[in-house]
Amino acid sequence: MKNGLLDILKGKFLVSGDAPKNWLFILFASFLATVMIGSSHSADRKVHQIAALNEQVKELRSEFVDVRSDVQKLRLESKITEIVEEDELYPSEDPPKKIKVKSNKQE
């Protein structure tokens, strides 16, 4: 047991007779580790992007609610009357009258 551990620490398994098999396994394990690290970084980046987009959605939603309430206030007749009175336009005192047009069709 002691010699086996000492051989691993000295790296004898890399220069022994079946070393090419060991090197291929080490290269394969290194490649898999690199792919895992890259995948992990990619996933973390996407999580951060999703969090930032969710925050942006919340801000835009609150802005939408604010603008919608402002627009609803502007649509009120009293507010429209105030705005139009600045241009010296006032509502009519007489109610509108219906105009009837007779057609002169001859059959």
Side-chain angles (χ1 to χ4, degrees):
M1 177 75 175
K2 194 175 188 182
N3 280 340
L5 183 62
L6 192 59
D7 287 344
I8 290 174
L9 290 176
K10 286 183 179 180
K12 286 189 178 182
F13 68 95
L14 296 175
V15 291
S16 65
D18 58 347
K21 182 176 72 171
N22 294 338
W23 276 107
L24 286 176
F25 178 74
I26 290 172
L27 287 175
F28 178 70
S30 299
F31 173 74
L32 285 181
T34 305
V35 169
M36 280 181 45
I37 291 170
S39 175
S40 173
H41 284 300
S42 175
D44 285 344
R45 190 176 323 114
K46 288 180 183 178
V47 166
H48 288 294
Q49 284 177 343
I50 288 171
L53 288 173
N54 281 336
E55 201 59 38
Q56 205 173 16
V57 165
K58 286 179 185 176
E59 290 175 13
L60 289 173
R61 186 172 287 138
S62 67
E63 183 181 344
F64 166 73
V65 169
D66 291 342
V67 170
R68 184 176 62 184
S69 65
D70 290 344
V71 168
Q72 284 178 345
K73 288 177 187 175
L74 286 174
R75 289 176 54 191
L76 294 175
E77 185 179 355
S78 59
K79 188 66 177 177
I80 292 173
T81 305
E82 285 177 22
I83 294 171
V84 174
E85 281 179 355
E86 292 174 3
D87 294 333
E88 296 182 6
L89 295 173
Y90 302 100
S92 176
E93 307 244 340
D94 300 327
K97 296 179 183 177
K98 190 172 185 179
I99 299 174
K100 293 183 181 178
V101 177
K102 294 181 182 177
S103 75
N104 292 331
K105 276 189 177 177
Q106 293 181 351
E107 295 179 17

